[in-house]
Amino acid sequence: MPSQKPRVRRVPVAMPAAGAAAHQPWYRSLRFSGFSLLMLGIIVLFVVVLAPSLRTLIQQQEQIAQQQREVAAQKEDVSQKRKDVARWDDPAYIEAQARDRLLYVYPGEESYLVMGSEGRRSSSTPTTDSGTPVSSTVQTPKVDWVQAMLSSVLQSGLTDESRQELVAPDFSGTGDTK
């Protein structure tokens, strides 16, 4: 029996060039096994199950932080109010508040109150609502308002004219009737 050698035939094979392997996309080199697919599925399931819980946790932490800020602001307000209440125990503070808010003065003192100086700070001469300049001297009114009111009441009560026919008296002092 002749010796039996396995028949092997050698065939030359050309290897791909090094540049050809570089043009393949990266995902072609990935190999998935059953275990890697199982782990990927578990990770996806884990994310789907925990995502709503994480969102709720984040919302609750934001609410807690907001409530803590509100509590801190209220504590600051309470401490400020306690300081205000403590100030009212001081007689000098009470006196200053009575002078400022209620315009109280001691007997013999003179108090001057400047009206309307808060809103306007201009160098021009101040005027009244009707446009007349304000004088620094005391003036007598041009209209006797008591007499004008009395005559208006008597005229409206004793006349036979309708309401539309009656003319209102002039209280502005300009001489115009409206």
Side-chain angles (χ1 to χ4, degrees):
M1 206 165 108
S3 83
Q4 293 208 344
K5 273 182 155 181
R7 282 179 120 182
V8 178
R9 189 170 155 202
R10 298 196 179 240
V11 177
V13 177
M15 298 295 290
H23 291 294
Q24 287 186 347
W26 63 270
Y27 54 85
R28 289 274 187 189
S29 63
L30 294 178
R31 303 285 181 240
F32 286 108
S33 66
F35 179 76
S36 62
L37 289 177
L38 178 68
M39 294 313 296
L40 183 63
I42 289 174
I43 290 172
V44 168
L45 182 66
F46 184 72
V47 168
V48 168
V49 169
L50 287 184
S53 300
L54 289 175
R55 186 182 58 162
T56 304
L57 175 69
I58 291 170
Q59 287 176 345
Q60 288 176 349
Q61 287 181 347
E62 288 174 357
Q63 288 175 352
I64 289 171
Q66 175 66 26
Q67 301 251 330
Q68 286 174 342
R69 286 191 295 269
E70 288 176 9
V71 166
Q74 288 175 352
K75 283 182 179 179
E76 180 66 30
D77 189 40
V78 166
S79 67
Q80 181 62 37
K81 289 186 188 297
R82 284 189 178 149
K83 289 176 185 176
D84 291 344
V85 167
R87 269 194 249 159
W88 283 99
D89 290 335
D90 184 16
Y93 182 76
I94 294 172
E95 178 183 337
Q97 291 300 312
R99 287 176 167 269
D100 186 41
R101 293 184 185 182
L102 304 175
L103 306 175
Y104 284 0
V105 294
Y106 282 114
E109 290 182 345
E110 291 184 20
S111 176
Y112 296 98
L113 180 63
V114 178
M115 303 288 288
S117 65
E118 302 89 25
R120 291 187 241 182
R121 299 272 189 231
S122 64
S123 60
S124 65
T125 306
T127 59
T128 62
D129 292 337
S130 63
T132 57
V134 176
S135 174
S136 61
T137 60
V138 177
Q139 300 175 355
T140 59
K142 297 178 183 176
V143 176
D144 184 12
W145 67 271
V146 176
Q147 183 63 35
M149 184 182 71
L150 186 59
S151 68
S152 173
V153 169
L154 290 175
Q155 182 183 5
S156 64
L158 298 175
T159 188
D160 292 333
E161 295 177 356
S162 67
R163 186 179 72 168
Q164 286 81 16
E165 295 170 348
L166 290 174
V167 176
D170 178 30
F171 290 110
S172 66
T174 60
D176 299 334
T177 58
K178 294 183 181 180

PDB file of all heavy atoms in Angstrom, residues 146-156 169:
ATOM      1  N   VAL A 146     -68.726 130.878  49.249  1.00  0.00           N
ATOM      2  CA  VAL A 146     -69.910 130.662  50.077  1.00  0.00           C
ATOM      3  C   VAL A 146     -71.111 131.330  49.423  1.00  0.00           C
ATOM      4  O   VAL A 146     -72.191 130.745  49.311  1.00  0.00           O
ATOM      5  CB  VAL A 146     -69.678 131.189  51.511  1.00  0.00           C
ATOM      6  CG1 VAL A 146     -70.942 131.063  52.336  1.00  0.00           C
ATOM      7  CG2 VAL A 146     -68.536 130.446  52.173  1.00  0.00           C
ATOM      8  N   GLN A 147     -70.941 132.572  48.991  1.00  0.00           N
ATOM      9  CA  GLN A 147     -72.026 133.308  48.341  1.00  0.00           C
ATOM     10  C   GLN A 147     -72.410 132.631  47.026  1.00  0.00           C
ATOM     11  O   GLN A 147     -73.591 132.530  46.700  1.00  0.00           O
ATOM     12  CB  GLN A 147     -71.594 134.758  48.077  1.00  0.00           C
ATOM     13  CG  GLN A 147     -72.681 135.617  47.468  1.00  0.00           C
ATOM     14  CD  GLN A 147     -73.880 135.784  48.390  1.00  0.00           C
ATOM     15  OE1 GLN A 147     -73.722 135.856  49.608  1.00  0.00           O
ATOM     16  NE2 GLN A 147     -75.065 135.835  47.831  1.00  0.00           N
ATOM     17  N   ALA A 148     -71.412 132.151  46.263  1.00  0.00           N
ATOM     18  CA  ALA A 148     -71.703 131.484  44.997  1.00  0.00           C
ATOM     19  C   ALA A 148     -72.478 130.198  45.218  1.00  0.00           C
ATOM     20  O   ALA A 148     -73.419 129.895  44.479  1.00  0.00           O
ATOM     21  CB  ALA A 148     -70.409 131.204  44.257  1.00  0.00           C
ATOM     22  N   MET A 149     -72.128 129.424  46.240  1.00  0.00           N
ATOM     23  CA  MET A 149     -72.843 128.192  46.530  1.00  0.00           C
ATOM     24  C   MET A 149     -74.267 128.481  46.985  1.00  0.00           C
ATOM     25  O   MET A 149     -75.217 127.839  46.541  1.00  0.00           O
ATOM     26  CB  MET A 149     -72.110 127.376  47.600  1.00  0.00           C
ATOM     27  CG  MET A 149     -72.768 126.036  47.868  1.00  0.00           C
ATOM     28  SD  MET A 149     -71.974 125.088  49.150  1.00  0.00           S
ATOM     29  CE  MET A 149     -72.410 126.002  50.594  1.00  0.00           C
ATOM     30  N   LEU A 150     -74.445 129.472  47.852  1.00  0.00           N
ATOM     31  CA  LEU A 150     -75.764 129.814  48.351  1.00  0.00           C
ATOM     32  C   LEU A 150     -76.663 130.307  47.222  1.00  0.00           C
ATOM     33  O   LEU A 150     -77.825 129.894  47.119  1.00  0.00           O
ATOM     34  CB  LEU A 150     -75.653 130.878  49.455  1.00  0.00           C
ATOM     35  CG  LEU A 150     -76.943 131.237  50.160  1.00  0.00           C
ATOM     36  CD1 LEU A 150     -77.567 130.012  50.809  1.00  0.00           C
ATOM     37  CD2 LEU A 150     -76.699 132.314  51.195  1.00  0.00           C
ATOM     38  N   SER A 151     -76.114 131.138  46.348  1.00  0.00           N
ATOM     39  CA  SER A 151     -76.927 131.626  45.236  1.00  0.00           C
ATOM     40  C   SER A 151     -77.270 130.507  44.277  1.00  0.00           C
ATOM     41  O   SER A 151     -78.366 130.474  43.712  1.00  0.00           O
ATOM     42  CB  SER A 151     -76.210 132.764  44.513  1.00  0.00           C
ATOM     43  OG  SER A 151     -75.075 132.267  43.861  1.00  0.00           O
ATOM     44  N   SER A 152     -76.359 129.524  44.077  1.00  0.00           N
ATOM     45  CA  SER A 152     -76.627 128.397  43.201  1.00  0.00           C
ATOM     46  C   SER A 152     -77.742 127.536  43.761  1.00  0.00           C
ATOM     47  O   SER A 152     -78.641 127.105  43.031  1.00  0.00           O
ATOM     48  CB  SER A 152     -75.361 127.562  43.024  1.00  0.00           C
ATOM     49  OG  SER A 152     -75.642 126.388  42.308  1.00  0.00           O
ATOM     50  N   VAL A 153     -77.722 127.291  45.062  1.00  0.00           N
ATOM     51  CA  VAL A 153     -78.757 126.476  45.693  1.00  0.00           C
ATOM     52  C   VAL A 153     -80.101 127.181  45.612  1.00  0.00           C
ATOM     53  O   VAL A 153     -81.124 126.583  45.257  1.00  0.00           O
ATOM     54  CB  VAL A 153     -78.377 126.148  47.150  1.00  0.00           C
ATOM     55  CG1 VAL A 153     -79.539 125.533  47.902  1.00  0.00           C
ATOM     56  CG2 VAL A 153     -77.181 125.222  47.184  1.00  0.00           C
ATOM     57  N   LEU A 154     -80.116 128.481  45.925  1.00  0.00           N
ATOM     58  CA  LEU A 154     -81.375 129.232  45.887  1.00  0.00           C
ATOM     59  C   LEU A 154     -81.903 129.334  44.459  1.00  0.00           C
ATOM     60  O   LEU A 154     -83.102 129.185  44.222  1.00  0.00           O
ATOM     61  CB  LEU A 154     -81.192 130.617  46.490  1.00  0.00           C
ATOM     62  CG  LEU A 154     -80.980 130.636  48.010  1.00  0.00           C
ATOM     63  CD1 LEU A 154     -80.688 132.044  48.496  1.00  0.00           C
ATOM     64  CD2 LEU A 154     -82.172 130.053  48.736  1.00  0.00           C
ATOM     65  N   GLN A 155     -81.023 129.562  43.504  1.00  0.00           N
ATOM     66  CA  GLN A 155     -81.457 129.689  42.120  1.00  0.00           C
ATOM     67  C   GLN A 155     -82.032 128.383  41.599  1.00  0.00           C
ATOM     68  O   GLN A 155     -83.056 128.367  40.938  1.00  0.00           O
ATOM     69  CB  GLN A 155     -80.299 130.141  41.228  1.00  0.00           C
ATOM     70  CG  GLN A 155     -80.696 130.338  39.783  1.00  0.00           C
ATOM     71  CD  GLN A 155     -79.507 130.709  38.907  1.00  0.00           C
ATOM     72  OE1 GLN A 155     -78.381 130.725  39.370  1.00  0.00           O
ATOM     73  NE2 GLN A 155     -79.783 131.003  37.661  1.00  0.00           N
ATOM     74  N   SER A 156     -81.382 127.268  41.911  1.00  0.00           N
ATOM     75  CA  SER A 156     -81.883 125.986  41.420  1.00  0.00           C
ATOM     76  C   SER A 156     -83.159 125.573  42.123  1.00  0.00           C
ATOM     77  O   SER A 156     -83.997 124.889  41.551  1.00  0.00           O
ATOM     78  CB  SER A 156     -80.820 124.902  41.579  1.00  0.00           C
ATOM     79  OG  SER A 156     -80.539 124.688  42.949  1.00  0.00           O
ATOM     80  N   PRO A 169     -72.317 128.163  38.395  1.00  0.00           N
ATOM     81  CA  PRO A 169     -71.549 129.358  38.753  1.00  0.00           C
ATOM     82  C   PRO A 169     -70.062 129.127  38.504  1.00  0.00           C
ATOM     83  O   PRO A 169     -69.586 128.000  38.450  1.00  0.00           O
ATOM     84  CB  PRO A 169     -71.849 129.550  40.231  1.00  0.00           C
ATOM     85  CG  PRO A 169     -72.244 128.225  40.715  1.00  0.00           C
ATOM     86  CD  PRO A 169     -72.912 127.526  39.560  1.00  0.00           C
TER      87      PRO A 169
END
